[in-house]
Amino acid sequence: MKYQFSRMNAVQSPIIPVVGELIKNSPGTISLGQGVVYYSPPPEAIGLLPKFLNDATNNLYKAVTGIPELITALTTKLSTFNGIEINNQNCIVVTAGSNMGFMNAILAITSPGDEIILNTPYYFNHEMAITMAGCHPILVATDKNYQLIPENIAKAITPKTRAIVTISPNNPTGVIYSEAALKQVNQICRERGIYHISDEAYEYFTYEGIKHISPGAFAGSNEYTISLYSLSKAYGFASWRIGYMVIPQHLLNAVKKVQDTILICPPVVSQYAALGALQAKEDYLKDHIQTIAQTREIVINALNELQGLCTITPANGAFYFFLKVHTQIDALELVKRLIQEHKVAVIPGTTFGIEDGCYLRVAYGALKQETAKAGIERLVKGLQIILSGTYARLE
């Protein structure tokens, strides 16, 4: 039997499982690869599960957009933390993680052949979703510090452009986009009649006094801004699969069609857990993020030893650094050598759309401080040894 190729052949394969297999074959490897946190959900999340179990109707389908109690709690959170007011022009849709929110948005606003602007380096699942939808990612480079270049974004817009995507705090670079740049992009979207998709999964992870900015809070922006959020990072909810999106009211019918087809309704047990998580004491987020901030300082101090071998761009958000490695070695090959020879794993920059040069994403949120310290020391030593060997061969 002869099989036909499908649209999925054009979609890149996720790199995380590839690196995971390399780690599995190299026991004892410390992973600075996956972007999750080291801690578990707050006890309030687990504490609300008996309430879910005690109501037999919770075994049935619930509202496609989310249970009312959770939507009410999210409305309060958006108002107090993000400055976004829910009104008759916008609405909340609970999703199975913010990746699903992005897919919902792309399917709701595009037709096959349309274009979505991504800033590079991009988040690989965004690029994959756009391609799956039969659309085209249009890549616009950021500057040397991975900041947006609004003028270049504007130049990339064509009659087929449907949205500009921004991620701040950023995955994979850890940078936070300035309020001025986000306002410029948002204004471009208003003037050109396209959407601004703002991925804010790392909204709580900001350091050195920097405040998170939500484009959905800009005056008049709720008619064309799509904001994506997640509990996966800040609340340790990675496997619970709960995120949410704030969308213009006019997109609700389209998003409901997508969500009803793919999901029917967000997992109700996870929604109860999310409702509990949002009731956690203020110290839960504050203390855990402070610990990650301390780990970040350990990572920065260690990476400083690579001056001359790597370019280390300052990053005040998320829990990533994106290193430019001064070598001709292929990024994936370098990742393989770091795992096999030095027992430390990172992610190659090629998976984030950076093909010119060797880049590595270093993630430090998933590990306790001592393990993170050991991992970053292995990375520094490994790069020093590998790169010194490379330079020796070049001489």
Side-chain angles (χ1 to χ4, degrees), residues 11 99 102-103 106 124-134:
V11 179
N99 269 12
F102 187 82
M103 193 83 229
I106 295 302
F124 54 86
N125 281 139
H126 285 175
E127 190 268 349
M128 292 167 69
I130 292 163
T131 305
M132 282 181 199

Side-chain angles (χ1 to χ4, degrees), residues 295-333:
T295 303
R296 173 177 171 271
E297 290 301 318
I298 292 170
V299 172
I300 289 171
N301 291 336
L303 290 178
N304 282 335
E305 296 181 35
L306 293 173
Q307 296 288 349
L309 299 177
C310 300
T311 299
I312 302 137
T313 300
N316 293 317
F319 31 75
Y320 305 113
F321 285 101
F322 201 63
L323 307 185
K324 180 180 181 180
V325 187
H326 304 160
T327 180
Q328 298 300 314
I329 301 174
D330 173 76
L332 182 56
E333 180 60 29

Side-chain angles (χ1 to χ4, degrees), residues 42-347:
E44 290 86 351
I46 311 305
L48 216 58
L49 296 184
K51 184 177 180 182
F52 164 82
L53 295 168
N54 288 336
D55 185 347
T57 68
N58 283 329
N59 296 311
L60 304 175
Y61 296 131
K62 294 294 184 180
V64 67
T65 56
I67 59 174
E69 305 95 315
L70 180 55
I71 288 178
T72 297
L74 292 172
T75 299
T76 301
K77 177 266 175 184
L78 286 161
S79 176
T80 56
F81 186 80
N82 303 94
I84 296 175
E85 302 300 331
I86 301 301
N87 50 41
N88 59 4
Q89 293 181 317
N90 60 5
C91 56
I92 298 169
V93 177
V94 180
T95 60
S98 61
N99 269 12
M100 181 173 188
F102 187 82
M103 193 83 229
N104 284 353
I106 295 302
L107 291 173
I109 68 175
T110 66
S111 296
D114 285 344
E115 298 172 352
I116 304 291
I117 293 177
L118 298 179
N119 296 281
T120 56
Y122 55 61
Y123 171 45
F124 54 86
N125 281 139
H126 285 175
E127 190 268 349
M128 292 167 69
I130 292 163
T131 305
M132 282 181 199
C135 297
H136 304 294
I138 303 301
L139 308 184
V140 177
T142 49
D143 69 16
K144 65 178 182 179
N145 292 317
Y146 307 125
Q147 291 290 330
L148 299 172
I149 308 177
E151 299 81 8
N152 290 355
I153 294 171
K155 290 175 185 175
I157 296 172
T158 75
K160 287 184 172 292
T161 304
R162 295 293 172 263
I164 299 167
V165 180
T166 60
I167 311 169
S168 184
N170 189 261
N171 176 14
T173 66
V175 304
I176 296 174
Y177 298 148
S178 70
E179 182 174 4
L182 287 170
K183 279 187 172 177
Q184 277 185 269
V185 170
N186 199 259
Q187 183 66 25
I188 289 167
C189 292
R190 179 204 295 266
E191 292 170 354
R192 301 295 186 94
I194 60 179
Y195 293 97
H196 182 176
I197 302 177
S198 174
D199 186 328
E200 302 173 39
Y202 299 89
E203 58 185 329
Y204 291 105
F205 297 91
T206 62
Y207 314 106
E208 299 184 19
I210 295 179
K211 186 179 182 296
H212 175 66
I213 301 296
S214 294
F218 298 155
S221 72
N222 54 12
E223 292 186 4
Y224 56 90
T225 303
I226 299 169
S227 305
L228 306 178
Y229 302 97
S230 173
L231 272 73
S232 295
K233 312 303 179 183
Y235 288 96
F237 253 59
S239 72
W240 292 83
R241 306 313 307 139
I242 288 291
Y244 54 102
M245 56 196 308
V246 180
I247 60 174
Q249 186 69 37
H250 65 259
L251 288 178
L252 179 59
N253 190 44
V255 168
K256 285 169 72 173
K257 288 179 183 178
V258 178
Q259 184 136 305
D260 186 69
T261 301
I262 296 174
L263 189 64
I264 297 183
C265 68
V268 179
V269 63
S270 296
Q271 290 190 73
Y272 270 80
L275 182 59
L278 292 171
Q279 297 168 7
K281 295 180 176 65
E282 187 178 329
D283 288 348
Y284 171 79
L285 286 179
K286 182 180 175 184
D287 292 349
H288 284 308
I289 291 171
Q290 179 59 36
T291 298
I292 288 182
Q294 293 167 357
T295 303
R296 173 177 171 271
E297 290 301 318
I298 292 170
V299 172
I300 289 171
N301 291 336
L303 290 178
N304 282 335
E305 296 181 35
L306 293 173
Q307 296 288 349
L309 299 177
C310 300
T311 299
I312 302 137
T313 300
N316 293 317
F319 31 75
Y320 305 113
F321 285 101
F322 201 63
L323 307 185
K324 180 180 181 180
V325 187
H326 304 160
T327 180
Q328 298 300 314
I329 301 174
D330 173 76
L332 182 56
E333 180 60 29
L334 181 55
V335 167
K336 289 178 181 177
R337 289 190 60 182
L338 285 166
I339 294 171
Q340 293 164 355
E341 299 171 18
H342 299 280
K343 305 287 187 181
V344 63
V346 289
I347 303 297

